[in-house]
Amino acid sequence: MTTAGPPINNTQFSVNVTTKSQEQSLYQSSGAIVAAIVVGVIIIFTVVLLILKTYNRRMRVKRELEPKTAKPAMPPALGQNSNSLSQHPTVTFIPVDIHMQNR
């Protein structure tokens, strides 16, 4: 007593398996691409950060090692009034008493 079952369509089954495996591989490859892009961006940011840190360190050392230059002195004016021109005018501040009103 054998019962006849429905015939199995092998072509439809193999197409479904192929389609699923292609979809899975596409999802996996897209995930791998996204992961690679994220890792690449992190690496680029790290390299830029290191470059900026070394540049900042070099510039700071360069500024610290430079001799401190005073304001350049003005050369004395030539002529009869050289003494009067080389003297800088002075401003004197005289404080004024401020009277507060008593309440």
Side-chain angles (χ1 to χ4, degrees):
M1 292 193 39
T2 60
T3 58
I8 298 175
N9 190 352
N10 287 337
T11 57
Q12 185 180 6
F13 180 72
S14 65
V15 169
N16 286 341
V17 170
T18 306
T19 305
K20 286 184 181 179
S21 66
Q22 285 178 350
E23 287 178 2
Q24 286 176 350
S25 66
L26 286 175
Y27 283 125
Q28 289 174 351
S29 64
S30 65
I33 290 171
V34 169
I37 290 173
V38 169
V39 169
V41 168
I42 290 172
I43 290 172
I44 289 171
F45 280 147
T46 304
V47 169
V48 169
L49 179 69
L50 291 174
I51 289 171
L52 287 175
K53 284 180 74 172
T54 56
Y55 175 77
N56 188 21
R57 189 175 298 140
R58 286 182 184 174
M59 289 297 113
R60 188 181 71 229
V61 168
K62 184 179 178 182
R63 281 192 308 264
E64 289 175 356
L65 292 179
E66 284 180 352
K68 303 291 183 192
T69 57
K71 292 182 180 179
M74 294 182 61
L78 298 175
Q80 296 176 354
N81 296 331
S82 63
N83 290 337
S84 63
L85 290 177
S86 64
Q87 295 176 355
H88 298 290
T90 58
V91 177
T92 305
F93 176 73
I94 301 172
V96 178
D97 292 333
I98 299 174
H99 299 286
M100 301 292 291
Q101 292 180 354
N102 294 332
R103 294 183 182 196

